[in-house]
Amino acid sequence: MSEHVREPRLPAPRGPLSAAVVAYLRGAGPLPRPVDAEDADPYGDDLHLALYVCYELHYRGFAEAGPQFEWDPELLRVRGALEQRFLSALRADTPVHDSLDDALGALLVEPAEGTGVTHFLRDEGELWHLREYAAQRSLYHLKEADPHAWVLPRLSGRAKAAMAAVEFDEFGGGRAERVHARLFADLMEDLRLDTTYGHYLDAAGAQMLAVVNLMSLFGLHRELRGALVGHFAEVEITSSPGSRRLAEAMRRTGAGPAAEFFYDEHVEADAVHEQIVRHEVIGGLLEQEPELAPDVAFGIDATEYLEGRLARRLLTDWRAGRSSLRTPLPQEMTHTS
């Protein structure tokens, strides 16, 4: 991954909403009407690609879209309608725990016989499964921790200090070569994947787009700061055991040293982060704003809900012997150390 990251190209549309948004950014047509979002599938390709494109303007942007589009009033109005359709569906569909303690407690329990994606990859995954998994996850990991940084101005005191400490680790502790996005690019190189930022956007499915969009949705809205903290807690608490399984999968398949290192690093780092997030970030936030406890629980549970949808898609495809990507990867090269 180049130290100077160029803007990615706009993706191919997946329906009328995303087609209109992409055309507008190219100066080639009008935006969809906000009312058009009301009948869209809230978890579908068209809505989530349109929303992803809107959000990406707040990160690296696109080569064909000038920087003025980031705060384009008409585009923000459309984005708001897309967000409302997505968030309303999440609030209706997410199984929510009765309390924050229950939500956190559920995350701390590792099932004796796990059947999730990381269990599959550890026990029976082949190199092509790992390559697809990395390609999908690259939509987040090549900008790892960026969506969570939006919450820092919304916090204060213990919560802010603790969140900043965790983010400092995510961004390499002051060392460019240790930035987690850089480490993931190294992993992708081991797996013979293209490390260009946004390269696999066209290939990733709606379930992966929804997971990344959730982070941006929570991060970019101050009123959802509690949900963002809950989301971050879910990520950090579940990361360490999942990363251990993924590191074992990388070793078993001979993926390469950088591929192993990325997940080995997360086993250790996220075990520490989990304690900081639970006791200092969540504890500090609720010490000042106890009324946000239901929002924190919603952030945890909505993340689990969307990750569950993604897991079902991946495992259904892989167990059927087919690619989970919209565009399958070229056949991998034989790895040599």
Side-chain angles (χ1 to χ4, degrees):
M1 184 173 71
S2 171
E3 293 303 315
H4 174 68
V5 182
R6 296 183 177 180
E7 296 89 350
R9 308 292 297 182
L10 282 163
R14 303 186 190 180
L17 291 171
S18 54
V21 168
V22 168
Y24 183 74
L25 293 176
R26 287 184 169 135
L31 284 166
R33 300 172 302 164
V35 70
D36 294 338
E38 294 178 4
D39 295 325
D41 179 352
Y43 307 111
D45 277 296
D46 190 26
L47 183 143
H48 277 284
L49 183 62
L51 191 53
Y52 189 99
V53 168
C54 290
Y55 284 147
E56 190 57 38
L57 297 170
H58 298 289
Y59 294 101
R60 306 287 172 81
F62 294 97
E64 306 97 315
Q68 73 276 8
F69 282 110
E70 181 178 5
W71 299 109
D72 183 282
E74 296 305 314
L75 188 59
L76 290 175
R77 189 172 293 111
V78 171
R79 192 191 90 186
L82 298 170
E83 289 176 325
Q84 187 57 47
R85 178 69 174 137
F86 179 36
L87 184 58
S88 295
L90 274 179
R91 291 198 184 279
D93 298 339
T94 298
V96 179
H97 284 88
D98 292 334
S99 70
L100 175 56
D101 285 344
D102 288 344
L104 287 169
L107 294 180
L108 294 169
V109 176
E110 272 278 295
E113 298 293 332
T115 57
V117 169
T118 59
H119 295 85
F120 173 89
L121 291 173
R122 179 195 63 189
D123 297 338
E124 54 187 298
E126 299 176 19
L127 200 56
W128 72 270
H129 296 122
L130 293 170
R131 296 180 78 238
E132 287 202 354
Y133 185 76
Q136 296 259 21
R137 290 290 186 185
S138 70
L139 297 190
Y140 166 63
H141 280 304
L142 290 182
K143 60 182 174 191
E144 185 167 345
D146 289 351
H148 307 127
W150 296 112
V151 82
L152 285 169
R154 291 89 152 86
L155 303 176
S156 61
R158 283 171 55 206
K160 188 186 194 84
M163 188 73 187
V166 175
E167 288 285 273
F168 183 65
D169 284 348
E170 302 285 350
F171 293 132
R175 297 169 57 189
E177 73 278 7
R178 299 283 294 191
V179 171
H180 284 193
R182 172 67 260 177
L183 296 180
F184 194 79
D186 295 341
L187 170 150
M188 294 178 73
E189 288 178 352
D190 267 3
L191 292 174
R192 306 295 192 261
L193 295 171
D194 193 315
T195 63
T196 304
Y197 182 91
H199 179 80
Y200 293 105
L201 176 54
D202 279 325
Q207 294 83 359
M208 187 66 234
L209 298 185
V211 167
V212 182
N213 282 340
L214 185 75
M215 306 179 198
S216 298
L217 171 66
F218 288 166
L220 287 167
H221 290 272
R222 187 173 63 85
E223 67 176 342
L224 296 173
R225 61 195 180 279
L228 189 283
V229 167
H231 158 78
F232 195 59
E234 193 277 347
V235 170
E236 295 299 321
I237 291 172
T238 60
S239 175
S240 188
S243 292
R244 181 175 291 107
R245 289 187 285 271
L246 288 168
E248 292 173 9
M250 295 296 175
R251 273 187 280 276
R252 181 176 59 78
T253 57
E260 296 173 20
F261 180 78
F262 178 82
Y263 288 111
D264 283 335
E265 169 75 6
H266 281 70
V267 171
E268 181 177 346
D270 290 344
V272 175
H273 292 171
E274 176 247 312
Q275 296 292 320
I276 296 173
V277 172
R278 278 201 299 134
H279 298 295
E280 297 301 317
V281 180
I282 293 178
L285 176 67
L286 298 185
E287 184 177 66
Q288 295 182 324
E289 300 181 276
E291 70 277 8
L292 292 183
D295 287 350
V296 178
F298 172 67
I300 292 171
D301 291 329
T303 304
E304 285 281 287
Y305 177 67
L306 292 180
E307 287 286 355
R309 288 176 56 87
L310 174 62
R312 287 190 293 275
R313 168 64 187 272
L314 295 177
L315 292 174
T316 297
D317 287 337
W318 291 343
R319 285 175 175 148
R322 61 176 179 260
S323 173
S324 66
L325 297 169
R326 290 168 53 84
T327 305
L329 298 171
Q331 187 174 2
E332 65 267 28
M333 298 167 56
T334 302
H335 184 274
T336 56
S337 298

